[in-house]
Amino acid sequence: MIDTQNIHVQKIENSKIGQVDFNNIPFGKVYSDHMFMADYAEGDWKNLNINPYAPIEMSPANPSLHYGVSIFEGLKAYKHENGDVAVFRPDKNLERLNFSARRMCMPELDESVYYDGLDTLLALDKQWVPSVPGTALYIRPFVISDDDYIGVTPSVNFKFMIITCPVGAYYAKPVRVKIETEFVRAVKGGSGACKTGCNYGPTLYPAQLAKSQGYDQLIWTDGREHKYVEESGTMNLMFIINGKLVTPETGDSILNGITRRSVIELAQAWGVEVEERKVEVAEVMAAIKDGSLQEAFGAGTAATIAHIEVIAYEGKDYTLPDIAKREFSNKVLKELDDIKYGNKEDQFGWLRKI
């Protein structure tokens, strides 16, 4: 039973759900009826509210606008055939949100505020969780500064919010990616392992350049030598090389992805050898050329499992093996979907039922 006695709920007068075509949902452009909000002031989280989704007031001097004092997460809720709704691994999102909070001089979020807000909001907007195959309800928790001060110093007031939106596939087809050797996403000692807004804005320009050349995303490399593969813009990177699952180890410049971790745990349960380590660009290119690279894919909440069909490097495109023949990534995609949608037993305890 959810204890909502400390949450003030104001319901929308007329739901917008009748305006939504759930068979054709653009990613991140259609938002559910309600949003959750809580304030941090004087050392405590307070003023827990659920209101109709709407713009919020903000000081023009808010440090989130000027210095990127913001952190966020992304997770999904899924509709089961029996009508149940389940969220995939929200505990890991809370862990990472608080990791990001510490790095950004922000207060950690109380479990009770996070879960009560999440559970109450999803119970209220349960009908927004789509049932069309391949769809889900994307959940975006985030924390921003709520100060009225443009000094470059840690803030003291904050706002935590959760908004949700029904979504279809982030990538409608296998992706073409380009290995980036000029621009840098993150460096050792930086904030690349955090989900903070200031990590993402600077990536837009090089990603736009890549798209103008016909690529969907970049493969970011290390900021010092461009020698090692790190991650892609919306997902962690994973390779099957000689039957082994090989993925860059996480650290200061690589996000500790929850889908990534889930793939690794499934692989280990299946007896697949897993290597989390530094992965050289040269190793990937050699494996493509000698045929030992059997599969390459991205793993992320929005992207789920995104097959990579082309990797570009130094002006040349390299086409990867036929997607239909990719045994591991197709198997892991189906397994994750079966767990998320309730078609298979959740033996790992990954789902939180609403």
Side-chain angles (χ1 to χ4, degrees), residues 16 20 28-33 53 128 163-166:
K16 303 171 293 182
V20 181
K29 292 186 177 181
V30 177
Y31 294 93
S32 311
D33 283 333
Y53 180 89
W128 282 87
I163 58 175
T164 66
C165 53

Side-chain angles (χ1 to χ4, degrees), residues 27 72-78 86-97 109 114-115 118-119 121-122 136-142 160-167 195 258-259 300-304 340 350-352 354:
F27 195 99
F72 68 96
E73 277 297 323
L75 58 161
K76 284 179 177 177
Y78 299 86
V87 185
F88 186 72
R89 307 196 79 171
D91 56 323
K92 293 301 179 184
N93 291 96
L94 178 58
E95 287 180 14
R96 194 170 61 186
L97 189 71
L109 202 65
Y114 175 78
Y115 284 118
L118 179 67
D119 292 349
L121 180 64
L122 293 187
L137 187 74
Y138 185 80
I139 304 164
R140 172 54 62 89
F142 60 100
F160 169 58
M161 298 183 63
I162 305 175
I163 58 175
T164 66
C165 53
V167 296
K195 286 189 78 70
I258 294 161
T259 305
T301 295
T304 60
K340 293 171 180 176
W350 285 344
L351 301 182
R352 181 181 180 88
I354 301 301

Side-chain angles (χ1 to χ4, degrees), residues 183-204:
F183 296 97
V184 174
R185 174 191 172 271
V187 295
K188 183 175 176 58
S191 59
C194 304
K195 286 189 78 70
T196 174
C198 57
N199 283 343
Y200 290 79
T203 69
L204 299 178

Side-chain angles (χ1 to χ4, degrees), residues 296-310:
F297 60 96
T301 295
T304 60
I305 302 299
H307 292 293
I308 296 173
E309 66 175 358
V310 169

Side-chain angles (χ1 to χ4, degrees), residues 170-181:
Y170 193 87
Y171 294 116
K173 58 183 179 58
V175 295
R176 298 166 51 87
V177 298
K178 172 189 172 185
I179 296 177
E180 180 58 56
T181 57

Side-chain angles (χ1 to χ4, degrees), residues 269-283:
W270 294 338
V272 176
E273 187 173 347
V274 178
E275 295 183 355
E276 297 181 71
R277 58 172 173 81
K278 287 188 173 183
V279 180
E280 291 193 22
V281 173
E283 175 188 0

Side-chain angles (χ1 to χ4, degrees), residues 106-121:
M106 305 172 87
E108 293 187 33
L109 202 65
D110 295 340
E111 279 194 18
S112 60
V113 174
Y114 175 78
Y115 284 118
D116 284 356
L118 179 67
D119 292 349
T120 308
L121 180 64

